[in-house]
Amino acid sequence: MALRIAAVALLASVLIGACSAAPAPSAPTSQPDDQGNVDGRFPELTVERNTDGSLHVAVTDPQARAWRIVVRGIADRADDALELVAEVGDVALAVTVREIDGAAVVDELDLTGLGGDGTAASGGCHRALPVCFGSNGIVLPAEGAATFGVDLALLDPRTPLAISGATSTWPGEPFVLGPWRETRPFVTSEA
């Protein structure tokens, strides 16, 4: 019994010492969690470089029902683009990737169901622009998370590309999109 009392006393002294050495909890602040978007304007485009050299591009808008990311060529390639769209549907989130070459859609990939429990993977590269995507790098909007994102591999980082985002809401009837609200483009590099 004396051994138990000694063990409890030792444990109590260790716990009391640890609690007194712990820093005091900080006072809550009135700053928003997202300190990068201090003015609260949406849609918000973010472009970040991953450790492997690819870019993570995301568009955020808490009111959105559709999100779009467009990677467009510049100058003589201005009519070429890779467009990724996620749109809330009545059954599932619809995800579509379009390859645009010379202002015409030349390929369309339906990735609807990407967020499910399937194991299918997909991706590809634009035929004229040095940019690729993979389904494993796509971040889908979900309940409580209003961000659509994608990892983009730049095959020639010296080629400038304009990246923009856009969102749309249901201003009236459900499933009827209103006008797209665009972000300012981000240019990857200047050749």
Side-chain angles (χ1 to χ4, degrees), residues 1 6 19 28 42 51 59 85 100 124 140 153 157 166 178 182 187:
M1 177 97 158
C19 289
F42 294 100
T51 56
V59 62
V85 177
I100 301 166
L140 299 176
E182 304 272 339
V187 179

Side-chain angles (χ1 to χ4, degrees), residues 2-85:
L3 186 58
R4 275 191 200 172
I5 293 172
V8 169
L10 179 62
L11 181 60
S13 66
V14 169
L15 288 175
I16 290 170
C19 289
S20 64
S26 60
T29 65
S30 61
Q31 294 179 341
D33 291 337
D34 181 6
Q35 295 184 16
N37 188 357
V38 294
D39 59 2
R41 293 185 188 187
F42 294 100
E44 177 187 30
L45 177 71
T46 56
V47 178
E48 300 172 329
R49 186 164 304 280
N50 294 323
T51 56
D52 64 0
S54 65
L55 296 180
H56 181 75
V57 178
V59 62
T60 302
D61 186 343
Q63 303 302 314
R65 294 291 177 249
W67 298 258
R68 179 173 65 198
I69 296 172
V70 179
V71 181
R72 186 172 301 286
I74 294 179
D76 62 335
R77 289 285 178 207
D79 290 336
D80 298 337
L82 183 67
E83 179 184 75
L84 298 98
V85 177

Side-chain angles (χ1 to χ4, degrees), residues 17-190:
C19 289
S20 64
S26 60
T29 65
S30 61
Q31 294 179 341
D33 291 337
D34 181 6
Q35 295 184 16
N37 188 357
V38 294
D39 59 2
R41 293 185 188 187
F42 294 100
E44 177 187 30
L45 177 71
T46 56
V47 178
E48 300 172 329
R49 186 164 304 280
N50 294 323
T51 56
D52 64 0
S54 65
L55 296 180
H56 181 75
V57 178
V59 62
T60 302
D61 186 343
Q63 303 302 314
R65 294 291 177 249
W67 298 258
R68 179 173 65 198
I69 296 172
V70 179
V71 181
R72 186 172 301 286
I74 294 179
D76 62 335
R77 289 285 178 207
D79 290 336
D80 298 337
L82 183 67
E83 179 184 75
L84 298 98
V85 177
E87 183 177 346
V88 172
D90 58 346
V91 176
L93 185 72
V95 180
T96 308
V97 180
R98 292 180 189 92
E99 181 180 358
I100 301 166
D101 190 26
V105 175
V106 295
D107 196 9
E108 187 168 283
L109 182 60
D110 182 1
L111 296 176
T112 300
L114 180 65
D117 58 1
T119 58
S122 186
C125 297
H126 193 281
R127 64 187 73 202
L129 298 177
V131 61
C132 300
F133 78 97
S135 61
N136 62 332
I138 293 178
V139 177
L140 299 176
E143 191 69 37
T147 299
F148 176 51
V150 63
D151 288 337
L152 299 171
L154 303 179
L155 301 179
D156 182 2
R158 295 170 295 139
T159 300
L161 299 169
I163 301 172
S164 61
T167 59
S168 182
T169 62
W170 298 334
E173 275 187 60
F175 309 111
V176 178
L177 291 177
W180 288 95
R181 296 181 310 151
E182 304 272 339
T183 66
R184 285 186 296 207
F186 171 85
V187 179
T188 58
S189 72
E190 301 296 331

